[in-house]
Amino acid sequence: MPELPEVTTIVRTLEPLIKNKTITSALTLHAGSVEGPHPLTSVVGGTVSALSRRGKLALIHLSGLEGKGGTDGTKGTGGTNGVDGLGVHLKMTGRLFVYEANTPPGPHTRVVLDFSDGTRFFFDDARKFGYMRVLSEESRKEWAFWQGLGPEPLEMTKSDFVNLFAQRNAGMKSMLLNQKIIAGVGNIYADESLFRAGIHPQSKGTSLSTAQLEELHEALVNVLEESIQECGASIRDYRTARGDAGAFQNAFRVYGRAGKACVACGQTLQGGVVAGRATVFCPHCQRDS
DNA sequence: AAAGTAGCCTGGAAGC
DNA sequence: TGCTTCCAGGCTACTT
């Protein structure tokens, strides 16, 4: 499931495949996979200028549409603000691939964009949890999820990070998963970073020392950067835009290892549900404080 | 305020 | 073999 390192990898591998290409048609195969005030067809004529990431969102920046309104100029069907991009949330099973001309959609293809060179861009999503959203000033303004996204973990200082959690009385894992508090962290990297920092998933922010929170910051940054180095973790559906699997799943120390031995102390790793998510931790190395 | 739960959705694995 | 059940997981909405 794509979290920050996986989305980063997808963006990096996808950019050279679609940059500077112009969209000639946009086809929605599953209506629920497109959301927001603009119809998907409003990206037609746009040229991909760059790709980026915000939280777990992949962002496709488009140029050439600035002065283009909707066909009837009304909000909800076309919009009047210039469309300048496309946001994609892959959730669990979303994939972004580029295919050669005339490739037919697959059974789980939800959106097809055709480029002027004939290549095709597919948004596949078996479970239909993900979505694409046409971006403009208006679209971003009314997008509560976008407006509420917390800071990027790789773009904040140690003290910013400490201040984010030190005064909060909620469980650490729950907070790491909360995109409004910090953006881009999902179940895998929450468990892995808490293990590396020796912090119990249910420890409250207020119960941790500054040193412990600093250690968590370092652990989170390290685990995210190491995973980016390995092109992310492939379990189940995730692939890079080139179709390759990542390798970071081989470096998991706790995720998916309930019942196995802790790599640090040898004790049996404990599995359970914390904050509504499957959670694995070491009861010896991660004491609740 | 925090935390639990249902719901969205479907494929793959496990159990019978 | 073929059926049913369970599970995964990001996020929202609702309840406790």
Side-chain angles (χ1 to χ4, degrees):
Chain A
M1 50 252 43
E3 303 180 26
L4 187 156
E6 290 77 28
V7 178
T8 295
T9 302
I10 289 168
V11 161
R12 283 182 179 173
T13 52
L14 186 59
E15 185 165 41
L17 300 176
I18 66 172
K19 193 174 177 179
N20 296 324
K21 293 187 181 181
T22 299
I23 299 167
T24 55
S25 80
L27 184 62
T28 302
L29 300 178
H30 174 71
S33 298
V34 177
E35 62 161 59
H38 305 292
L40 185 71
T41 49
S42 52
V43 300
V44 172
T47 299
V48 177
S49 56
L51 270 70
S52 65
R53 178 195 60 73
R54 174 78 173 102
K56 299 172 192 172
L57 291 163
L59 303 174
I60 300 169
H61 302 264
L62 299 172
S63 61
L65 296 168
E66 289 80 5
K68 206 184 159 200
T71 47
D72 60 1
T74 52
K75 181 182 175 183
T77 57
T80 51
N81 293 318
V83 167
D84 58 15
L86 200 49
V88 191
H89 199 316
L90 300 169
K91 293 287 179 88
M92 271 82 72
T93 56
R95 293 175 167 199
L96 299 174
F97 286 132
V98 178
Y99 295 94
E100 54 190 42
N102 302 317
T103 304
H108 305 309
T109 303
R110 309 304 178 194
V111 168
V112 178
L113 299 181
D114 281 305
F115 292 114
S116 46
D117 67 349
T119 57
R120 320 195 82 188
F121 177 54
F122 290 1
F123 170 38
D124 292 339
D125 186 20
R127 263 166 265 189
K128 299 180 181 173
F129 272 27
Y131 56 83
M132 274 190 166
R133 186 183 179 103
V134 177
L135 301 177
S136 66
E137 194 180 333
E138 172 199 1
S139 168
R140 278 185 285 270
K141 200 172 293 177
E142 66 176 52
W143 190 7
F145 178 71
W146 175 266
Q147 295 294 336
L149 277 175
E152 289 287 333
L154 298 180
E155 294 170 19
M156 58 195 307
T157 66
K158 202 155 262 203
S159 63
D160 287 340
F161 185 90
V162 171
N163 291 334
L164 213 45
F165 298 102
Q167 306 302 320
R168 296 182 193 253
N169 200 34
M172 286 307 300
K173 170 144 182 182
S174 156
M175 293 196 283
L176 286 173
L177 293 177
N178 187 339
Q179 302 300 298
K180 293 174 186 168
I181 297 178
I182 189 166
V185 181
N187 205 30
I188 293 172
Y189 300 99
D191 274 12
E192 292 295 323
S193 60
L194 287 167
F195 172 77
R196 289 184 182 213
I199 294 172
H200 190 284
Q202 287 171 305
S203 292
K204 309 283 189 188
T206 48
S207 76
L208 296 175
S209 67
T210 298
Q212 282 180 298
L213 286 170
E214 286 179 346
E215 200 167 333
L216 178 61
H217 176 254
E218 190 175 341
L220 180 61
V221 168
N222 286 344
V223 80
L224 293 173
E225 289 182 344
E226 285 170 30
S227 183
I228 290 169
Q229 287 286 318
E230 300 289 339
C231 292
S234 288
I235 45 175
R236 304 186 183 84
D237 301 273
Y238 162 76
R239 291 292 182 279
T240 75
R242 290 191 299 260
D244 301 324
F248 193 68
Q249 66 278 9
N250 302 318
F252 289 166
R253 299 182 191 173
V254 287
Y255 181 87
R257 298 190 69 245
K260 295 183 179 172
C262 171
V263 296
C265 75
Q267 279 203 14
T268 304
L269 295 176
Q270 188 174 322
V273 175
V274 174
R277 303 262 86 81
T279 298
V280 185
F281 66 99
C282 174
H284 177 254
C285 299
Q286 297 169 265
R287 306 282 179 86
D288 197 0
S289 39

